[in-house]
Structure formats: C-alpha cells, structure tokens
Amino acid sequence: QVQLVESGGGLVQAGGSQGLSCVASGQTIRTYVMSWFRRGPGEEREFVAGISWSGATTRYADSVKGRFTIARDNNKNTVFLQMNNLKPEDTAVYSCAASTSIVIRTTDSEYEYWGQGTQVTGSS
C-alpha cells in the first residue's frame, strides 16, 4: 500500500506561481509512474502531468504545457508540481496518483493509489 499526501495548495493571483508536493509513505515510489490530476468545479477529473519512475520522461496536458513542471525525488519519496503563470481556469483540487504502469497513462483508472488532494485557486 502507498499513502499519498499532497500539500502546497492555496490562493494564487493570476500570473503567479505555486508549488505542490506529494509525499508518499508505506513503500517506495521508486518503481511507480507518478502523476498529478485535477478536478475543477463541476468538471471531470483530468490529467495534468506525469513522470516516469526514473524521472527521465514527462508528459503534460496541452493546457499546462510550458507553464507546469513535474519532478520527483525518489530518495525523499516525493513528487512535485511547479505551477507558473497560473490562470483562473487552473482552479481545481489537485491530486497525485501512483501507477504500476510502465508508461505514463492519462486515464485515472490506470492509477492504483491516490492522495486526498489539495485546493488551488487562481484569482483573476
């Protein structure tokens, strides 16, 4: 079992930056693909960014490409999401997730473990 706890959410002005962290416990995430998903008000959960177990490969949703950066530190069992140039439409609950898939999947059903999420609100 892997437990995931996100932190770093808050209220950010449009154009601002915010960093999220996801700390894992229970077992190492070294062999897991890790991703961030988000669910906006009244919306379906959507893929934001993912990173391979080694960190060598990343994948981003078109809506965040060039603004968000995902990273991981396997020694600290932690995954990060740096969000720059935030927009009001980035407002959502952001959750990290772990998958045993070999490749970075964008479908939430491919992920076995989930955190509770952290709220990010972009104000205009």
Side-chain angles (χ1 to χ4, degrees):
Q1 290 283 337
V2 177
Q3 291 80 44
L4 302 172
V5 178
E6 303 92 339
S7 63
L11 177 65
V12 186
Q13 284 198 326
S17 298
Q18 189 80 347
L20 305 180
S21 298
C22 172
V23 178
S25 61
Q27 60 177 275
T28 179
I29 60 169
R30 193 173 293 276
T31 59
Y32 288 85
V33 163
M34 299 297 297
S35 291
W36 288 92
F37 286 76
R38 68 184 181 187
R39 187 194 300 268
E43 298 179 359
E44 298 288 322
R45 184 160 55 190
E46 65 173 355
F47 173 83
V48 176
I51 188 166
S52 63
W53 65 269
S54 68
T57 303
T58 57
R59 185 172 182 180
Y60 296 93
D62 288 342
S63 59
V64 306
K65 203 171 292 183
R67 299 188 298 122
F68 290 14
T69 302
I70 188 171
R72 67 192 296 161
D73 184 338
N74 287 336
N75 291 327
K76 295 183 178 180
N77 241 20
T78 303
V79 181
F80 306 95
L81 185 68
Q82 178 62 38
M83 305 180 292
N84 297 328
N85 191 20
L86 277 161
K87 304 176 181 180
E89 51 264 41
D90 293 319
T91 295
V93 174
Y94 285 73
S95 300
C96 67
S99 172
T100 55
S101 171
I102 295 174
V103 297
I104 301 169
R105 304 290 187 186
T106 61
T107 306
D108 57 8
S109 61
E110 299 282 351
Y111 289 78
E112 289 87 354
Y113 302 106
W114 291 85
Q116 291 295 313
T118 184
Q119 176 72 47
V120 174
T121 302
S123 64
S124 56

